[in-house]
């Protein structure tokens, strides 16, 4: 049996990715986190460019998630 936080992340991330693929044929990097109260929040990143590079977006997402982890405001992420 998976951890409930993992289930919550998978239940948020996979349908979103499927919907983006269905509607747009692609998607930019994204993620989700579980806050201390158990609420799942989706996360994306932006550079201000219309077509940003995926590595740049991933770096921004990682920095944001690391910041939340350091501050202990999330308990899981994906």
């Amino acid at each position: 049996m998976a951890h409930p936080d993992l289930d919550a992340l998978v239940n948020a991330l996979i349908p979103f990715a499927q919907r983006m693929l269905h509607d747009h044929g692609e998607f930019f990097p994204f993620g989700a986190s579980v806050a201390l109260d158990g609420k799942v929040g989706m996360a994306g990143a932006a550079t201000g460019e219309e077509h940003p590079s995926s590595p740049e977006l991933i770096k921004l997402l990682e920095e944001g998630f690391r910041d939340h982890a350091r501050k202990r405001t999330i308990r899981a992420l994906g």
Side-chain angles (χ1 to χ4, degrees):
M1 179 176 195
H3 191 281
D5 288 345
L6 176 59
D7 288 337
L9 288 170
V10 168
N11 290 336
L13 291 168
I14 292 179
F16 181 77
Q18 289 172 327
R19 189 168 53 253
M20 291 298 102
L21 288 173
H22 178 268
D23 294 351
H24 306 286
E26 63 183 349
F27 54 83
F28 287 111
F30 68 96
S33 61
V34 179
L36 299 179
D37 64 3
K39 291 183 181 175
V40 175
M42 299 297 287
T47 64
E49 298 175 26
E50 186 173 347
H51 299 287
S53 72
S54 291
E56 188 174 5
L57 295 176
I58 291 168
K59 180 181 177 187
L60 292 171
L61 284 167
E62 287 175 343
E63 290 171 356
F65 283 137
R66 281 192 184 105
D67 185 53
H68 282 289
R70 272 191 297 277
K71 293 177 181 174
R72 298 181 185 257
T73 59
I74 59 174
R75 63 186 196 198
L77 64 95

